[in-house]
Amino acid sequence: MAEREYPAGKQTAIAELAQDFSNANATVLTEYRGLTVAELRELRRSLGEGTHYRVAKNTLAKRAASEAGVSGLDELFVGPTAITFIEGDPVEAAKSLRNFAKTHEALVIKGGYMEGKALSVEEITKLADLESREVLLAKLAGAMKATAQKTASVLAAPASQVARLGAALQDKKAASGE
C-alpha cells in the first residue's frame, strides 16, 4: 500500500509532531472533549516547564509517531486527542494530569509512551503515584550521608581506641618508673 501524500501544511505539522515525539522523554495521550479553552489553558499551566500539551489530528499524530519510531499507540488515536509531550520529569507531569483529571472529568487519560514502551492508563497512574525525581534524589543523598557518617565513626573508633591504649601504656610505663 502506497504512503499517503499530505499537502505541505500537513507535512509541516507531521514534521513538528515527529520532532516533539523524538524530543520527549515520555508522552501521554488524552481526550479533552468537553474542556473549555480556559480549562485547557489551566491544564497547560499546571503541567509546568519542560512539558507541553498539544491538540492534534489523529491521522497526522499517528503518522508523526510512526516517523519518530514511537509504536503501540495507534489504537489510542481515536476521538479528540491531545498529546502531552514531556521533556522534563515524567512523574511530575503524570501527577499534574491525574490531579487535573480528578477535578475535570472531561479530561480522560488514554495511555502513553515512555522508554520505548506503550503505557496503559494503569501504568500512568502508577507513574503518578511515584515520588518526584527531586524527592528520590534527596532521599538517596540522605541515605548516602548517613552511611558515610556511620562509616567514618566506625573507622574513627579503632583509631581513638588505639590512641587511648597508647596513652594508657605510656601512663603505666611512667608509673612503673621505666
Side-chain angles (χ1 to χ4, degrees):
M1 188 172 166
E3 280 197 30
R4 182 175 168 192
E5 266 310 304
Y6 289 96
K10 289 187 178 181
Q11 286 178 354
T12 301
I14 291 170
E16 288 174 0
L17 283 167
Q19 188 66 42
D20 285 340
F21 274 111
S22 295
N23 292 341
N25 297 332
T27 57
V28 177
L29 279 69
T30 61
E31 182 174 317
Y32 62 93
R33 184 189 340 240
L35 290 176
T36 66
V37 172
E39 289 169 331
L40 285 171
R41 191 176 316 115
E42 179 187 343
L43 171 59
R44 284 184 172 105
R45 268 195 228 115
S46 75
L47 292 171
E49 287 187 41
T51 301
H52 66 280
Y53 190 76
R54 184 170 178 179
V55 173
K57 289 189 172 252
N58 289 323
T59 53
L60 302 182
K62 193 183 296 187
R63 176 78 178 265
S66 174
E67 286 184 12
V70 173
S71 59
L73 300 180
D74 287 355
E75 68 277 0
L76 302 179
F77 290 115
V78 289
T81 302
I83 308 164
T84 308
F85 294 102
I86 306 163
E87 293 179 25
D89 185 2
V91 172
E92 286 301 313
K95 282 182 193 297
S96 295
L97 285 168
R98 180 195 59 198
N99 294 343
F100 192 88
K102 280 182 182 177
T103 58
H104 300 82
E105 292 178 10
L107 182 73
V108 178
I109 297 173
K110 296 180 178 184
Y113 188 84
M114 186 170 86
E115 296 178 353
K117 178 182 175 288
L119 301 175
S120 68
V121 175
E122 293 78 25
E123 289 170 314
I124 293 170
T125 301
K126 286 179 185 174
L127 185 65
D129 290 338
L130 292 175
E131 295 189 45
S132 73
R133 182 176 186 273
E134 289 75 22
V135 170
L136 292 173
L137 287 174
K139 284 184 175 183
L140 177 63
M144 289 173 65
K145 181 179 177 185
T147 302
Q149 287 173 336
K150 286 179 187 174
T151 302
S153 65
V154 166
L155 293 175
S160 65
Q161 287 174 345
V162 168
R164 284 194 300 270
L165 179 62
L169 286 174
Q170 199 170 30
D171 290 346
K172 186 175 180 183
K173 203 178 204 183
S176 64
E178 292 178 22

